[in-house]
Amino acid sequence: MAEKQNKLPISFDVTVSLSKAQVAVGKDMTTICFCTPNVDFLHGDRVKTYLTSDSFNKITTAGSSVYWAGQAFFAKSKRPRQIAVGRVFSSNQGAYLLSGSVSSLETLATIADGAFNITIDGTVQNITDLDFTSATDITGVASVINAALTGATCTVYHDNLIIRTTTTGSEATISYANAPASGTDVSSLLGLTEATGASYADGYTAGTIAEELQAIADAGTRAGLFFYGWTLDSYYRDTEDQFAAANWVNGRSFRAVGAMCTNNANAYNPASTANNGYKATELGLAGINYTYDDNAQVYPDISYLANFLAVDYNQEGSTIAGKFKDADGIAAVNFPDIETNVQTLNARRINTITGVIGQTLKYFREGVQSSAAWSTDGWVNVCNFISELEIEILNVFLRNKKVPYTPDGQNLLIAAASKICNKYKRNGSFSDGMEEDSTSETGYKVIPAFDIQIQEISATTAAQRAAHIGTPMTITVNDAGWMGSIAINVDVIA
């Protein structure tokens, strides 16, 4: 007989459930995307990231433009955790089916009547009579398949089989392989089915450089990546495509910073306007910086940008100026008349690398963006600030049942904004300043590092309430700035 019971669990009367409020996560603002036509990436897998120089060097060969880009990044003593590489396409691409691993060459070598079905450009093809008995390696397997295809080719791509349509552009289509009506089904043995790890992409129509960069950004988003920094292969230097790319990056506003390099000596010729760096300054491109170098092989733009994207904004006093930073392995630039030439570059807001007479050191100068309103650190700092601010404000809405039209509701938003403002004061992006004030006993007044103002609730309109629009907030921040030169007067008293 079962033992009688007289006690119930607490949960019989008290039910407790556990939930966690949604929290938005900030963007990673540290990744540089290097955009190049000179890598063998498929259009369906056009973006990859690299943590080490060894893994990066596997996609290129020593001495190539891509190789030197990797050298510039991984030579940095302080750099972001990873660099992304995005392929730019200049020609239309066919659809492709990329195999998973080919199971067993030994098993395939016993099959003389292999078969599979595949749909190419909307037409089902019955691939039959595949005789693999003489195929001793994966190249031989690809040759057997290639001979049986119509409107497509089969080759080896990084130890896998790839079937590509001869039709190119967005109208080209392909499918996974599947079982045939007759013959020995080899679709799985060849790794051409979804279940065996195959992947496919329909054809692709190449676009302008701006469209290609957007496609790279979109591919990153699909992979869960955000690219804040943008640089280009040296192939594009001093071309119309480079300038179009600069305008595209600048159009992303505070979501991007672009570093471009010019090798054109017109950059320091005051009589010439035929230079992309000059044109960027004339347009005042806030999100772009240009660096002049006399060596077409090296990437000072990547080295320069890596300095800023390596900053840890969580640390006190972590922000940096662009001037006086080492180029890490990239030599100082040679000029015909260095003082005059550098003065011209300074006037045009084009950075460069110089040494110092009597010293072995070399460093970047002047640390500026193409817009007269921005130094590079100021732009990058504010972009990071805005990224964190918008996430912190979003989390106010996510964490609370509602944010009411009351002082308490406003205080939730002000507290969130203050948190980020104080963080950026601690890391050195913003600071208190001083200005002359004739009404003050000291002759000056303190300008706070930041000031937050929010519209009075009484000023909220009926339309604002109906649309649930919060009371507008204005945040004024004081850029900490930095000293890049100094004049010293020495008085000698006899």
Side-chain angles (χ1 to χ4, degrees):
M1 177 181 292
E3 182 180 350
K4 292 184 179 181
Q5 300 174 336
N6 62 6
K7 295 183 179 180
L8 290 168
I10 294 174
S11 60
F12 192 84
D13 295 309
V14 181
T15 303
V16 177
S17 60
L18 178 64
S19 63
K20 187 176 182 180
Q22 292 187 86
V23 176
V25 179
K27 292 183 178 70
D28 177 3
M29 301 282 281
T30 66
T31 302
I32 298 172
C33 186
F34 172 67
C35 303
T36 174
N38 297 320
V39 286
D40 186 21
F41 295 173
L42 300 170
H43 62 273
D45 190 23
R46 67 189 300 165
V47 173
K48 302 178 189 292
T49 57
Y50 300 93
L51 300 173
T52 66
S53 58
D54 287 343
S55 62
F56 187 96
N57 288 339
K58 290 178 181 179
I59 66 171
T60 187
T61 55
S64 72
S65 63
V66 177
Y67 170 83
W68 287 112
Q71 290 293 298
F73 181 80
F74 289 105
K76 299 295 293 182
S77 56
K78 291 184 179 180
R79 61 174 186 267
R81 187 177 67 91
Q82 65 181 3
I83 186 171
V85 178
R87 182 175 176 183
V88 177
F89 291 92
S90 58
S91 61
N92 294 347
Q93 303 294 302
Y96 69 82
L97 172 63
L98 179 67
S99 77
S101 62
V102 178
S103 297
S104 171
L105 291 174
E106 291 79 7
T107 302
L108 282 171
T110 66
I111 299 173
D113 64 340
F116 62 86
N117 286 352
I118 189 170
T119 302
I120 295 175
D121 293 338
T123 301
V124 177
Q125 291 193 27
N126 302 306
I127 311 301
T128 59
D129 300 322
L130 297 173
D131 185 351
F132 296 108
T133 56
S134 298
T136 58
D137 55 24
I138 193 169
T139 300
V141 170
S143 296
V144 172
I145 299 169
N146 186 61
L149 290 169
T150 301
T153 61
C154 182
T155 56
V156 177
Y157 179 82
H158 300 311
D159 298 325
N160 295 83
L161 298 169
I162 187 167
I163 298 175
R164 306 181 200 243
T165 65
T166 53
T167 302
T168 61
S170 55
E171 295 182 356
T173 61
I174 201 166
S175 71
Y176 291 114
N178 50 62
S182 60
T184 300
D185 178 15
V186 291
S187 58
S188 293
L189 280 174
L190 296 172
L192 295 174
T193 65
E194 183 175 12
T196 54
S199 61
Y200 78 90
D202 290 334
Y204 175 74
T205 300
T208 64
I209 186 65
E211 290 168 337
E212 288 294 295
L213 297 186
Q214 184 61 57
I216 290 170
D218 293 342
T221 299
R222 289 192 295 272
L225 300 169
F226 175 76
F227 307 135
Y228 171 62
W230 294 85
T231 62
L232 295 178
D233 192 294
S234 58
Y235 169 84
Y236 293 107
R237 285 189 191 162
D238 301 306
T239 65
E240 290 183 5
D241 274 350
Q242 184 196 54
F243 195 61
N247 277 281
W248 178 85
V249 173
N250 190 70
R252 291 172 72 81
S253 186
F254 57 84
R255 308 286 185 195
V257 61
M260 304 290 167
C261 181
T262 173
N263 300 131
N264 187 340
N266 282 329
Y268 58 79
N269 179 359
S272 175
T273 59
N275 177 262
N276 285 345
Y278 173 86
K279 291 191 289 184
T281 299
E282 285 294 289
L283 288 180
L285 302 185
I288 296 296
N289 56 73
Y290 264 88
T291 299
Y292 171 75
D293 202 293
D294 61 338
N295 186 342
Q297 178 177 272
V298 298
Y299 285 87
D301 43 349
I302 291 178
S303 180
Y304 180 69
L305 191 55
N307 289 328
F308 298 97
L309 271 62
V311 170
D312 182 355
Y313 285 92
N314 292 311
Q315 300 300 314
E316 184 174 356
S318 58
T319 56
I320 64 171
K323 192 174 181 180
F324 304 118
K325 297 301 175 290
D326 191 357
D328 294 289
I330 299 177
V333 176
N334 296 300
F335 292 96
D337 182 359
I338 187 168
E339 290 192 32
T340 300
N341 300 152
V342 168
Q343 286 173 356
T344 300
L345 291 176
N346 290 351
R348 294 182 166 195
R349 303 188 67 79
I350 299 173
N351 302 304
T352 193
I353 304 169
T354 61
V356 178
I357 294 173
Q359 304 290 327
T360 59
L361 57 83
K362 57 184 171 43
Y363 52 76
F364 284 104
R365 55 185 316 134
E366 289 293 311
V368 295
Q369 295 293 95
S370 295
S371 167
W374 294 99
S375 61
T376 302
D377 65 295
W379 177 257
V380 175
N381 294 345
V382 165
C383 291
N384 277 269
F385 168 72
I386 292 173
S387 178
E388 291 201 51
L389 177 66
E390 63 184 3
I391 291 296
E392 195 65 29
I393 295 296
L394 174 59
N395 280 328
V396 171
F397 295 108
L398 292 175
R399 290 169 176 157
N400 291 277
K401 293 179 179 179
K402 68 176 182 178
V403 179
Y405 283 106
T406 64
D408 286 343
Q410 288 184 316
N411 286 337
L412 289 171
L413 297 167
I414 292 171
S418 296
K419 174 183 175 182
I420 303 304
C421 288
N422 277 307
K423 174 179 178 177
Y424 277 73
K425 181 179 179 181
R426 287 194 305 274
N427 64 36
S429 298
F430 312 141
S431 69
D432 294 338
M434 291 185 292
E435 66 178 21
E436 291 184 0
D437 182 6
S438 60
T439 65
S440 169
E441 289 184 5
T442 60
Y444 65 86
K445 67 177 181 180
V446 175
I447 304 171
F450 62 91
D451 179 63
I452 302 173
Q453 298 292 329
I454 196 164
Q455 176 187 288
E456 294 289 340
I457 294 172
S458 59
T460 305
T461 66
Q464 282 179 307
R465 285 179 175 271
H468 306 289
I469 297 172
T471 49
M473 181 187 297
T474 299
I475 302 175
T476 303
V477 298
N478 189 49
D479 185 358
W482 47 272
M483 297 183 189
S485 64
I486 190 171
I488 301 175
N489 181 54
V490 178
D491 287 331
V492 178
I493 301 174

